[in-house]
Amino acid sequence: MPQARIAVVGAGLMGHGIAQVFALAGHDVAITDSFTGNLDTVKARITANLRDLGDDENAVERVRPIADLADAVRDADFIVEAIIEDLPLKQKLFADIEKHVRPDAILASNTSVIPITAIMQGLRERSRALGTHWWNPPYLVPLVEVIGTQWTSPQAIERTMKLHAAAGKQPAHVKKDVPGFIGNRLQHALWREAVSLVERGICDAETVDTVIKAAFGRRLAVLGPLENADMVGTDLTLAIHKTVLPAIDSRPGPSPYLEKLVTQGKLGFKSGEGFRRWSAEEQAALRSKVVQHLKKARANDEHL
Ligand SMILES: NC(=O)c1ccc[n+]([C@@H]2O[C@H](COP(=O)([O-])OP(=O)(O)OC[C@H]3O[C@@H](n4cnc5c(N)ncnc54)[C@H](O)[C@@H]3O)[C@@H](O)[C@H]2O)c1
């Protein structure tokens, strides 16, 4: 793919990682942030990641921190926003961006859960606006969901899919702008039942996680649920659903058990207790385990 000019708005956790992926793919990347402290450190953070991963550290030279939004987006072919998850802020940002960009530039939001339609509805030209939902850390998790709204042109989707595939990502087209897109709908369907099992006293939180990690979690990275259904047979899957689906949690809102944890200040790692208690050492060990696992998976992908 020819070198593109990318602009990333927001140099936080996601923004710096997205910039790193595009720079490593050979693109010129302008990055901006309203907090200059984050802009000042962005190249050092990217360099540290590249070094840790054994990737080409020279890629950081293609990243240009730019304080002024208009200057950062003016020449860009593709602009991706990764500022805080706040709808009015994102709407205002895209209205500002639209004033300065080229007519053929694509505008993308990396929102986790806000509908792309809500973010982009006030724009003058909505056919070039879409969602690109990356997963953390952007340089280790392959998927990017590419979300179109009712206004997004097929050309904008196609260009975005190609850009991300050429940068080594695995783009997935989400054809309708539904809350949670695909990944977070699936993930939180599982989390709802996980909370419910604890709430109903069927097992404790640690056991829920053990059952997943030691059973179907082992297969999930290589065997999706619908591949699995075909493997065991749709007839068997139907029979299982007839028995199991009426028994699992289908409440439309969050679990009262989860609400109670939050009310009690049991917020997880940040308060030292959530579903379970977490010492500082246990927190650090789990974070490190996840990163090591993702690094091994990436190395494995490279050998395939
Ligand atoms: N953290 C994740 O795991 C994850 C995963 C997928 C998507 N997302 C989404 O990505 C977006 C960014 O999340 P994050 O975790 O990187 O947040 P973050 O807080 O680490 O970074 C946000 C950055 O945006 C900057 N910012 C805030 N308002 C701005 C503005 N008006 N203009 C320019 N810069 C501004 C902040 O200074 C900060 O550097 C959010 O929409 C989030 O929901 C996060």
Side-chain angles (χ1 to χ4, degrees), residues 126-148:
R126 296 180 291 199
S127 64
R128 42 118 160 238
L130 42 74
T132 50
H133 179 228
W134 296 63
W135 292 67
N136 184 46
Y139 41 85
L140 284 175
V141 183
L143 186 76
V144 178
E145 291 170 280
V146 177
I147 308 116

Side-chain angles (χ1 to χ4, degrees), residues 9-16 18 32-36 38-39 45 69 81-86 89-90 93 109-114 132-137 184:
V9 185
L13 185 68
M14 296 303 289
H16 91 284
I18 294 170
T32 188
D33 197 293
S34 56
F35 175 52
T36 48
N38 274 357
L39 217 48
R45 283 181 281 140
L69 176 72
E81 162 275 314
I83 69 164
I84 52 171
E85 189 79 339
D86 179 300
L89 262 189
K90 287 188 193 282
L93 177 71
S109 172
N110 181 50
T111 175
S112 301
V113 289
I114 302 174
T132 50
H133 179 228
W134 296 63
W135 292 67
N136 184 46
N184 272 324

